[in-house]
Amino acid sequence: MELFSILGNSQQLDGGAMFGNAPKALWSRWIEPDVENRIPLACRCLLVKDLDGQNVLFETGIGAFFEPALRERYGVVESRHVLLDSLAAAGLTHEDIDVVVLSHLHFDHAGGLLAAWKEGEAPRLLFPNARFVVGAEHWRRALEPHPRDRASFVPELQPLLQASGRIELVEGEYSQTLGQSVRFSFSDGHTPGLMLAEVAGVVFCADLIPGRFWVHLPITMGYDRWPEKLIDEKRVFLEDKLARDVRLFFTHDHDCALARVVRDERGRFGTADEQRMLHGVPPQLPAGVV
């Protein structure tokens, strides 16, 4: 088994939106904004090669499905489908992926499932040989989104996934597709039914903790539907990962893929042993970790 951090298309989004009610005087010390108050964000995926004989991709990033005007509005930097280039650097194509695990279906996490935009062409699903693993509660949200987050979904994506006949909806800790190799937990603070995957001593934090600076409990995003709930969930999540020495994998941190969670003498969570990327890294399994 080998682990790879796989970059998709990057974004530049408003720093105030990404740091919620934290003042700019604080968050600008962590990530310097540009003249338009935007900060750089990754859309990073986790690839596990040979997970019980399967190539498993955790998320697909934002992709390149937006038409040019929307690409500009949502701060997508590259016009090409960067995820496909990154998979090639790891020796694979999208056709080689056996399973795609989606924490949720917001466009910056699932848009990479779609082919790059071409004028006059309808959206088209990539990954023709993969099963798509999604949390059941979040799937229901994606089919009937609330006005608060309707714009976060790609309307064409859910019908394409249904039509593929290759979607599995997960209700509990394990999926039929991945068995005991991947353990799931769920969070509601960012979006209902956000699915967090733990594999080989690493947990994909998704939008519960987008990057290192959001490990600090009070820091939430303006995009979170229920910030107080998210903080409570984050506390329980981090205490568990600290106790079991499970590493945190960040999707949106522009400069860090993996880190170890620590806690100082005041009880404040932080990170240590940060890694910018993973390329063919073998898993490290502490005692008791899936």
Side-chain angles (χ1 to χ4, degrees), residues 19 26-33 39-41 213-214 253-254:
F19 284 104
L26 176 62
W27 62 255
S28 62
R29 300 205 306 260
W30 299 333
I31 308 178
E32 184 177 356
I39 61 173
L41 296 167
F213 309 112
W214 291 264
D253 195 308
H254 73 292

Side-chain angles (χ1 to χ4, degrees), residues 37-58:
N37 209 49
R38 301 177 305 176
I39 61 173
L41 296 167
C43 288
R44 183 182 292 105
C45 313
L46 174 64
L47 170 67
V48 182
K49 278 187 174 182
D50 196 22
L51 179 60
D52 296 334
Q54 299 186 101
N55 294 320
V56 182
L57 183 65
F58 294 82

Side-chain angles (χ1 to χ4, degrees), residues 125-225:
L125 194 63
L126 300 176
F127 302 94
N129 301 309
R131 289 189 59 78
F132 305 105
V133 177
V134 185
E137 182 181 358
H138 184 72
W139 176 255
R140 292 188 286 269
R141 175 74 164 208
L143 294 180
E144 296 184 15
H146 189 274
R148 173 73 168 78
D149 64 354
R150 182 174 291 119
S152 296
F153 294 97
V154 186
E156 299 87 355
L157 181 57
Q158 285 72 241
L160 286 171
L161 289 172
Q162 284 181 312
S164 76
R166 292 178 276 118
I167 186 169
E168 180 189 350
L169 302 182
V170 180
E171 296 277 6
E173 281 192 305
Y174 301 102
S175 72
Q176 291 183 349
T177 301
L178 295 168
Q180 302 288 304
S181 297
V182 179
R183 183 165 64 192
F184 297 107
S185 60
F186 298 88
S187 164
D188 295 318
H190 177 68
T191 187
L194 179 77
M195 189 167 72
L196 303 156
E198 183 180 326
V199 56
V202 171
V203 63
F204 195 103
C205 295
D207 278 344
L208 177 66
I209 307 175
R212 289 164 293 170
F213 309 112
W214 291 264
V215 167
H216 186 37
L217 287 181
I219 303 299
T220 61
M221 295 187 289
Y223 303 109
D224 297 327
R225 66 183 289 264

